[in-house]
Amino acid sequence: MQNNAGTLLRSFLNSSFRKQSQRRIRDFGGYEIGKRRQPHVIHAIARDAADYLCIHLDIKAKGRPASRQGVAFAIAEALRNVSEELAYRLTWRDDQAWRDVCESVAVFLEGCMEFDRKPYDGSLTARSDYNGWKSWEVIASGERPRGKWRHAWKEKPGDDFIGFDGETCMGRIFRIGFTGADERWYWLISADGSPRLGWPAAGYEASARCAACRVERIYFALVKGEGRVAYG
């Protein structure tokens, strides 16, 4: 059974891989099994995934902090081990194929690195007086998500959802049974390399509704170019 860090690793890999453009996925998977593949895209996919993992996880190799370059290299090696048939299935947006690839890469990484949750020191979540937010930023009881939210894994519905604004991935929410926080929902904003403008990239809320609304608030603020305002 996976520990909490293993669950996070797989979820973050899934989020990173799924935000790749259709063109990159097609270049990785080919137009038929093993046909017209473009292996050079592996480096770009691995680099994006490494950036994402290093933001949210404490990663060590042989007991020492792993560099982003080292993590990217390991991810690239794992992706090269993906069979041509499985790579091609990704171009169908096959949910089981995504699960298989994420599991394969995660197992490879766990064989050469150690993963743990990164403590939140203010760089990922906002320091404030209520659940990481000031009183004027709390999600109101009547607020509802505006985007389209669907299960991360169609074949295995559960407490794990991805939110979309049209075709754009806004972020992800999922529940993990941490000690003393069984009813907390973890949320994270889809990483695309754009400036955060003072907004946190991840955090916790008390319910799936609140977590989805939090993702949408931050996403739409970033779309508008609105930075976080702290009064007082």
Side-chain angles (χ1 to χ4, degrees), residues 7 20-21 23 26 59 83 89 147 165 173 184 196 202 210:
T7 301
Q20 299 296 318
S21 68
R23 176 63 181 272
R26 176 63 69 182
I59 307 174
S83 70
R89 282 170 52 202
D165 173 30
I173 64 172
R184 299 281 180 91
R196 293 260 67 89
C210 288

Side-chain angles (χ1 to χ4, degrees), residues 25-175:
I25 297 303
R26 176 63 69 182
D27 286 346
F28 176 68
Y31 288 77
E32 294 180 31
I33 296 178
K35 301 293 184 180
R36 294 172 62 188
R37 297 188 68 192
Q38 303 292 329
H40 67 271
V41 301
I42 287 177
H43 295 289
I45 296 171
R47 185 176 61 248
D48 286 353
D51 288 344
Y52 207 51
L53 295 184
C54 289
I55 288 173
H56 298 290
L57 293 171
D58 180 26
I59 307 174
K60 290 185 172 62
K62 297 181 179 179
R64 306 181 69 176
S67 67
R68 293 197 181 202
Q69 293 84 353
V71 176
F73 179 83
I75 294 172
E77 288 297 301
L79 289 174
R80 290 191 186 94
N81 290 334
V82 172
S83 70
E84 292 185 343
E85 180 180 358
L86 179 54
Y88 178 60
R89 282 170 52 202
L90 292 181
T91 66
W92 311 345
R93 294 292 176 177
D94 182 320
D95 284 324
Q96 185 59 49
W98 287 103
R99 285 190 68 188
D100 291 345
V101 168
C102 289
E103 181 63 22
S104 175
V105 173
V107 169
F108 184 95
L109 295 179
E110 289 172 331
C112 57
M113 296 178 178
E114 299 174 1
F115 298 85
D116 199 1
R117 285 189 301 148
K118 182 175 289 187
Y120 298 131
D121 58 2
S123 61
L124 296 180
T125 55
R127 294 178 182 272
S128 59
D129 51 13
Y130 177 78
N131 198 28
W133 301 97
K134 296 296 185 180
S135 58
W136 59 86
E137 297 175 311
V138 173
I139 302 297
S141 61
E143 187 171 344
R144 294 290 182 271
R146 294 182 283 164
K148 180 185 294 184
W149 290 84
R150 64 172 177 80
H151 288 289
W153 309 111
K154 292 181 181 178
E155 297 181 0
K156 190 179 179 182
D159 296 334
D160 194 335
F161 300 87
I162 299 175
F164 291 88
D165 173 30
E167 297 299 319
T168 303
C169 177
M170 297 184 290
R172 188 184 187 93
I173 64 172
F174 52 92
R175 187 171 66 174

